[in-house]
């Protein structure tokens, strides 16, 4: 299997990602994730990875465990 090269989102892509993270949903469902990926031009895998990393950062800043348990944010 080919490994996907790490891609740094552009400023415009980051704005879209941050907006969706902060204003729409920290846990996008597969359909929403697909739409965000299409809007940013990133793959679904790249978009999901960004959301996972961003959620871990957010949880750390809120003083929460880095992995979510049974309670959704």
């Amino acid at each position: 299997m080919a490994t996907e090269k790490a891609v740094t989102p552009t400023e415009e892509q980051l704005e879209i990602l941050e907006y969706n993270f902060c204003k729409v949903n920290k846990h996008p469902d597969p359909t929403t994730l697909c739409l965000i990926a299409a809007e940013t031009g990133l793959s679904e895998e790249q978009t999901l990875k960004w959301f996972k990393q961003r959620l871990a950062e957010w949880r750390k800043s809120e003083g929460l465990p880095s992995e979510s348990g049974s309670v959704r944010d």
Side-chain angles (χ1 to χ4, degrees):
M1 259 202 282
T3 56
E4 193 168 319
K5 197 171 94 172
V7 174
T8 303
T10 65
E11 190 173 320
E12 184 177 328
Q13 290 169 327
L14 281 174
E15 285 178 17
I16 295 166
L17 291 165
E18 281 290 339
Y19 173 82
N20 281 282
F21 182 83
C22 294
K23 304 284 187 203
V24 180
N25 193 343
K26 290 175 177 47
H27 303 276
D29 60 60
T31 302
T32 304
L33 192 71
C34 181
L35 293 171
I36 295 168
E39 187 177 359
T40 60
L42 299 170
S43 71
E44 288 181 52
E45 293 79 16
Q46 291 167 323
T47 306
L48 179 59
K49 184 176 179 180
W50 184 90
F51 267 88
K52 285 182 176 182
Q53 290 174 336
R54 182 64 179 87
L55 183 61
E57 288 174 17
W58 177 82
R59 293 182 70 79
K60 186 176 179 182
S61 73
E62 294 291 313
L64 300 168
S66 61
E67 293 296 321
S68 60
S70 60
V71 178
R72 299 279 291 211
D73 300 311

